[in-house]
């Protein structure tokens, strides 16, 4: 490690793990193609070993919903293959791999040993101020994720000043070496320039760094043309799930009150509490099925009362799990739109269920950063929401989208609740309603 190379940022928060299964396939540069090649660091999302501020450890468990109802699946996206033969090309691809331009981050990319194809990429926030223990935690987490995915070659790139990047880069080098993983290159990137910790030759790696223009690189242009875009930063991606404000928020507050009254009327019309709860669940399942059909058909739910009823209904676990069981990966794009719309419009106490469904669908799509942001939204509303913790564990472990299987059908979910009698018990909807009633409606 050379002294003129800056090191790390804030304590590791979320690791945004993204696989390339649903996105572009890229081949890493070979050593002979460029003088220096970036290795990286990752930023765990949701909760991870390196993230001290996570509220609770996520409970272990199975990811378990099932197949969706028959329908014409979305046409498979054409695979985009990009070959990069230089450090500049690799760095041009990274933002598109993550979904946004990283800053004060360590990005780690795992490569297929035989073909050099990117297998997965993930990012960590840099500890700021530098912290040796947290740097080791990040490095060990990265080594664990790569080992579990049987990745033997990696490239890492730290984004930010050397004072923040270097401690994590050094810890990562040691951890990957100890795990038997070859670090193809280890880079630092700042202000349109990169440095390689692996190259000390001033002829190809000058002390002032090597200038590059990532957005102007042909690889970036090809990915953007294929619809694989990169937002300016992670905050911009998070903003896509921000709650609606102003008149829309006020309208949703009123619609939520009406949705709760609707549930109350259904319960009052029934012969008893269990029957009333079942009526509410059946109405919720019907609304979810209709919403799924609408979005799969290219439509959208814009009526505030419909959105509020969806959010309120999903607070009942039998309704949420029925929706979960319908998340056929053949309709990923439609489902992402649906749950993002519900998350943005739901009042905070009713956010955890749709946000967790969004996280699951994002994981299915290989969108690790979006999954992590959805998990953050869920846990901000309910720090103990088990589905969010469960999906967060899977994302943090770097499990591929293929692991997001649906082993139960909607019919099996319904039968499971009927057997245990849980449908008639007091629901999470009531708890959420109580929390909502204690908060301002604006």
């Amino acid at each position: 490690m050379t002294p003129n190379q800056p090191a790390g940022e804030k304590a590791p928060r979320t690791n945004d793990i993204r696989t390339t299964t649903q996105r572009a396939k890229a081949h890493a540069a070979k050593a002979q193609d460029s003088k220096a090649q970036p290795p990286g660091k990752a930023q765990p999302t949701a909760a991870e070993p390196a993230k001290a501020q996570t509220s609770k450890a996520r409970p272990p468990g199975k990811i378990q919903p099932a197949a969706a109802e028959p329908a014409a699946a979305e046409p498979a996206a054409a695979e985009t293959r990009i070959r990069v033969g230089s450090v500049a090309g690799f760095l041009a691809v990274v933002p598109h791999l993550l979904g946004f331009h990283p800053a004060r981050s360590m990005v780690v990319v795992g490569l297929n040993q035989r073909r050099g194809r990117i297998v997965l990429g993930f990012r960590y926030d840099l500890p700021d101020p530098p912290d040796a223990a947290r740097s080791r935690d990040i490095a060990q987490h990265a080594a664990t994720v790569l080992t579990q995915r049987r990745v033997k070659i990696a490239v890492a790139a730290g984004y930010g000043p050397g004072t923040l990047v270097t401690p994590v880069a050094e810890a990562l080098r040691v951890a990957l070496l100890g795990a038997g993983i070859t670090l193809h290159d280890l880079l630092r990137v700042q202000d349109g320039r990169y440095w390689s910790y692996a190259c000390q030759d001033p002829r190809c790696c000058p002390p002032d760094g090597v200038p590059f223009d990532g957005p102007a690189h042909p690889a970036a242009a090809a990915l953007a043309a294929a619809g694989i875009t990169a937002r300016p930063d992670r905050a911009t991606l998070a903003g896509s799930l921000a709650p609606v404000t102003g008149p829309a928020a006020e309208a949703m507050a009123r619609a939520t009150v009406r949705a709760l009254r609707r549930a109350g009327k259904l319960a009052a019309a029934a012969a008893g509490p269990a029957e009333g709860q079942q009526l509410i669940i059946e109405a919720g399942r019907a609304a979810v099925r209709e919403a799924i059909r609408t979005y799969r058909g290219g439509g959208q739910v814009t009526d505030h009362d419909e959105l509020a009823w969806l959010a309120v209904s999903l607070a009942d676990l039998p309704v949420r799990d029925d929706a979960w069981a319908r998340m056929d990966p053949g309709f990923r794009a439609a489902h992402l739109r649906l749950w993002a719309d519900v998350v943005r419009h739901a009042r905070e106490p009713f956010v955890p269920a749709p946000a967790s469904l969004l996280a699951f669908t994002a994981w299915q799509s290989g969108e690790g950063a979006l999954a992590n942001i959805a998990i953050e939204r869920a846990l901000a509303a309910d720090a103990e929401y088990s589905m969010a913790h469960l999906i967060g564990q899977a994302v943090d472990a770097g499990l591929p989208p293929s692991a997001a299987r649906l082993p139960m059908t909607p019919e099996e979910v319904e039968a499971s609740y009927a057997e245990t009698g849980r449908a008639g018990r007091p629901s999470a909807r009531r708890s959420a309603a109580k929390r909502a009633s204690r908060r301002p409606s604006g």
Side-chain angles (χ1 to χ4, degrees):
M1 295 292 167
T2 58
N4 68 331
Q5 294 173 349
E9 186 217 13
K10 295 183 180 176
R13 302 172 38 165
T14 27
N15 63 331
D16 298 327
I17 297 181
R18 180 186 289 261
T19 71
T20 57
T21 305
Q22 313 302 342
R23 292 178 70 86
K25 302 287 186 182
H27 292 274
K30 304 295 182 185
Q32 65 266 31
D33 292 332
S34 65
K35 305 289 195 304
Q37 277 144 351
K41 155 192 187 176
Q43 156 195 355
T45 29
E48 75 205 16
K51 176 182 174 182
Q53 63 260 46
T54 300
S55 56
K56 277 194 151 189
R58 296 190 176 99
K62 287 186 176 180
I63 301 293
Q64 68 170 20
E69 54 200 27
E74 296 163 351
E79 186 175 71
T80 301
R81 292 178 180 269
I82 302 294
R83 182 173 183 84
V84 294
S86 65
V87 175
F90 172 82
L91 294 176
V93 166
V94 166
H96 298 268
L97 180 66
L98 296 175
F100 59 92
H101 290 267
R104 297 200 166 210
S105 305
M106 177 61 77
V107 175
V108 179
V109 175
L111 308 177
N112 174 284
Q113 190 169 8
R114 188 164 65 91
R115 295 183 178 180
R117 180 177 293 176
I118 292 176
V119 176
L120 81 166
F122 49 106
R123 178 191 72 88
Y124 298 94
D125 286 330
L126 296 173
D128 185 8
D131 184 293
R134 287 176 175 170
S135 295
R136 287 193 298 271
D137 285 345
I138 289 173
Q140 189 54 55
H141 181 265
T144 298
V145 168
L146 294 172
T147 299
Q148 289 175 341
R149 292 291 300 273
R150 299 181 180 180
V151 171
K152 292 296 184 182
I153 302 174
V155 176
Y159 290 75
T163 51
L164 299 183
V165 174
T166 300
V168 180
E170 175 60 21
L172 186 65
R173 185 187 65 78
V174 172
L176 296 192
L177 179 64
I181 297 169
T182 299
L183 194 52
H184 195 53
D185 201 352
L186 181 58
L187 308 170
R188 184 178 75 82
V189 182
Q190 185 178 23
D191 298 332
R193 292 175 178 270
Y194 69 81
W195 293 258
S196 173
Y197 289 105
C199 177
Q200 306 302 322
D201 186 345
R203 291 172 298 176
C204 58
C205 301
D208 291 337
V210 179
F212 75 102
D213 187 349
H217 194 279
L223 290 170
I228 304 170
T229 58
R231 294 178 185 262
D233 51 36
R234 192 175 188 273
T236 304
L237 180 60
S240 68
L241 295 184
V244 294
T245 58
E250 295 170 3
M252 279 305 300
R254 294 189 294 270
T256 302
V257 171
R258 291 191 292 271
L260 292 169
R261 287 176 182 162
R262 176 182 174 183
K265 288 179 181 178
L266 287 171
E275 292 80 3
Q277 179 71 1
Q278 189 59 40
L279 284 176
I280 295 168
I281 288 169
E282 289 172 0
R285 284 172 175 160
V288 166
R289 289 194 299 269
E290 182 58 32
I292 290 173
R293 277 193 292 269
T294 296
Y295 278 78
R296 287 182 181 180
Q300 183 178 19
V301 175
T302 57
D303 181 81
H304 291 142
D305 284 305
E306 291 181 36
L307 289 164
W309 180 247
L310 283 170
V312 167
S313 297
L314 288 166
D316 283 309
L317 297 185
V319 178
R320 182 205 70 185
D321 290 351
D322 179 85
W324 194 359
R326 297 176 189 278
M327 293 299 97
D328 183 335
F331 299 93
R332 292 183 304 270
H335 299 159
L336 285 171
R337 290 192 302 111
L338 167 59
W339 302 129
D341 281 349
V342 179
V343 167
R344 292 184 61 245
H345 288 85
R347 293 203 63 196
E348 187 176 354
F350 297 99
V351 164
S356 296
L357 290 166
L358 175 59
F360 180 77
T361 306
W363 174 32
Q364 283 182 320
S365 305
E367 300 284 347
L370 181 61
N372 283 320
I373 290 167
I375 290 166
E376 289 168 7
R377 286 293 315 274
L379 296 180
D382 183 349
E384 298 182 359
Y385 200 73
S386 61
M387 181 180 176
H389 282 293
L390 178 60
I391 296 168
Q393 278 185 328
V395 174
D396 287 348
L399 296 182
S402 59
R405 293 185 292 268
L406 303 174
M408 295 179 72
T409 65
E411 293 74 21
E412 288 169 340
V413 170
E414 182 176 1
S416 173
Y417 276 101
E419 288 172 9
T420 59
R422 286 182 289 168
R425 295 179 184 176
S427 69
R429 169 179 40 80
R430 298 178 188 174
S431 299
K434 289 179 181 177
R435 294 197 303 274
S437 67
R438 292 194 292 265
R439 298 184 185 188
S441 59

